[in-house]
């Protein structure tokens, strides 16, 4: 079961960063959505200087004994801390767990209990990050609503997924991709006969050679990015039998030749081919 909610936001002060990760009942493992948030957090930390440690606190609902909930909240904190250290072993982390002792609400309903199954992260930055002095590409066009278009799309046609963004040279998604991924999941969930092929594309290389993915050292960047979307949907409960994925490297550019960063961004994309309805 995937987490019901994941929040990543800046606090009331410009130098405060805070994340809240929600866990399924009785679980301490990270969902893909939570991993996306942690990936983005570490990516942001590469360009700023924290004023102190990253504080991590673990919490549970009130079901179960105090001793059990103390162990479970500690396990959740340990999972988050280990994932962050795996991304950057130099991170300074201050971890603690509170079991069921610090609920955000009364634990009376399933929804209230879900909000108590959480790990909170926070840190401050020493100074506001300076904007990069680069040419700003034009803003992307508004995201197309898949749910609006799906009935008009024919088998064999493709839909471009806008706002699906990856760390450069990586198949790891940024947390800003979550709304578009969630919409794709809703479309798949609401159309149980829909069968799709997830297609990954890259920019910059047009000789058929795929990009290098520094996560696993392979030259399958476009395929790995398509697989990331595939695995997200599998984790959310969509049957593997309804999906496949394929990487096309730079063989199908939308814009050629690429002259600007906006051109490269347009070619660095994921598309959905309707394979059956």
């Amino acid at each position: 079961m995937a987490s019901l909610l994941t929040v990543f936001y800046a606090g009331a002060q410009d130098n405060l960063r805070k994340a809240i990760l929600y866990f399924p009942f009785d679980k301490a493992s990270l969902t893909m959505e939570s991993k996306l948030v942690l990936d983005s957090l570490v990516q942001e930390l590469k360009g700023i200087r924290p004023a102190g440690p990253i504080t991590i606190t673990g919490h549970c609902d009130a079901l179960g004994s105090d001793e059990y909930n103390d162990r479970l909240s500690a396990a959740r904190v340990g999972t988050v801390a280990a994932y962050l250290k795996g991304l950057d072993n130099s991170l300074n982390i201050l971890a603690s767990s509170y079991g069921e002792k610090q609920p955000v609400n009364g634990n009376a309903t399933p929804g209230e209990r879900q909000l108590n199954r959480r790990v909170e992260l926070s840190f401050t930055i020493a100074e506001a990050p300076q904007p990069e002095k680069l040419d700003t590409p034009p803003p992307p066009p508004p995201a197309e609503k898949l749910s609006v278009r799906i009935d008009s799309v024919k088998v064999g046609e493709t839909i471009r997924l806008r706002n699906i963004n990856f760390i450069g040279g990586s198949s790891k998604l940024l947390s800003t991709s979550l709304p578009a991924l969630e919409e794709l999941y809703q479309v798949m969930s609401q159309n149980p006969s829909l069968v799709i092929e997830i297609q990954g594309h890259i920019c910059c290389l047009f000789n058929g050679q795929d990009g290098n993915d520094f996560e696993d050292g392979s030259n399958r960047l476009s395929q790995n990015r398509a697989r990331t979307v595939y695995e997200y949907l599998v984790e959310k409960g969509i049957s593997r039998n309804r999906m496949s994925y394929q990487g096309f490297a730079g063989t199908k550019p939308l814009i050629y030749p690429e002259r600007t960063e906006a051109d490269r961004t347009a070619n660095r994309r994921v598309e959905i081919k309707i394979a059956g309805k």
Side-chain angles (χ1 to χ4, degrees):
M1 176 181 176
S3 62
L4 299 183
L5 180 64
T6 306
V7 179
F8 182 68
Y9 56 91
Q13 301 175 5
D14 290 342
N15 64 344
L16 174 66
R17 299 292 184 272
K18 186 173 182 180
I20 304 176
L21 308 179
Y22 294 92
F23 287 75
F25 171 68
D26 203 34
K27 301 295 183 183
S29 57
L30 291 171
T31 64
M32 182 177 287
E33 290 160 314
S34 294
K35 290 178 181 178
L36 297 183
V37 172
L38 296 177
D39 291 342
S40 291
L41 185 151
V42 172
Q43 184 72 8
E44 181 181 11
L45 285 171
K46 292 180 180 180
I48 59 179
R49 181 166 58 89
I54 300 174
T55 300
I56 306 176
T57 61
H59 307 271
C60 290
D61 60 33
L63 300 179
S65 67
D66 288 350
E67 180 181 0
Y68 176 79
N69 285 332
D70 287 344
R71 291 198 306 269
L72 180 57
S73 65
R76 287 171 174 168
V77 167
T79 299
V80 173
Y83 188 84
L84 287 173
K85 283 288 189 179
L87 294 173
D88 185 347
N89 193 47
S90 68
L91 293 176
N92 182 13
I93 294 174
L94 179 62
S96 56
S97 56
Y98 296 97
E100 61 186 72
K101 300 179 184 65
Q102 294 187 359
V104 294
N105 51 49
N107 278 296
T109 67
E112 289 177 342
R113 290 191 288 273
Q114 174 62 61
L115 293 178
N116 287 328
R117 302 175 192 130
R118 71 197 192 280
V119 166
E120 298 184 1
L121 303 92
S122 64
F123 64 91
T124 56
I125 55 178
E127 55 189 17
Q130 296 298 315
E132 295 181 354
K133 295 181 179 180
L134 298 174
D135 292 336
T136 303
E144 297 180 31
K145 292 294 184 180
L146 293 177
S147 54
V148 173
R149 291 196 56 194
I150 200 66
D151 290 336
S152 62
V153 178
K154 299 177 181 178
V155 173
E157 292 184 341
T158 60
I159 302 173
R160 180 185 173 197
L161 293 185
R162 302 188 190 277
N163 303 323
I164 300 292
N165 300 309
F166 295 84
I167 296 172
S170 168
S171 54
K172 283 192 172 183
L173 287 155
L174 296 177
S175 62
T176 51
S177 303
L178 286 173
L181 288 169
E182 176 63 21
E183 188 185 9
L184 177 59
Y185 161 69
Q186 292 294 338
V187 168
M188 294 295 291
S189 179
Q190 295 166 11
N191 297 271
S193 63
L194 186 64
V195 180
I196 63 172
E197 179 183 84
I198 303 165
Q199 301 178 345
H201 305 266
I202 64 171
C203 71
C204 310
L205 297 173
F206 303 107
N207 58 1
Q209 179 181 352
D210 209 338
N212 180 260
D213 186 346
F214 67 70
E215 298 297 336
D216 63 5
S218 72
N219 289 319
R220 296 188 298 270
L221 183 57
S222 66
Q223 176 179 309
N224 288 352
R225 285 176 169 173
R227 185 177 65 187
T228 296
V229 175
Y230 170 88
E231 290 177 345
Y232 174 88
L233 293 172
V234 168
E235 184 176 292
K236 295 281 283 186
I238 302 301
S239 171
R240 297 177 186 271
N241 295 332
R242 299 175 56 198
M243 300 182 293
S244 61
Y245 61 88
Q246 184 176 356
F248 288 91
T251 61
K252 296 185 177 183
L254 293 176
I255 299 174
Y256 181 83
E258 297 170 343
R259 293 187 172 89
T260 67
E261 180 58 29
D263 294 344
R264 290 185 285 275
T265 298
N267 285 335
R268 190 186 298 125
R269 69 198 192 278
V270 174
E271 295 179 337
I272 299 300
K273 179 179 179 180
I274 307 301
K277 295 175 68 174

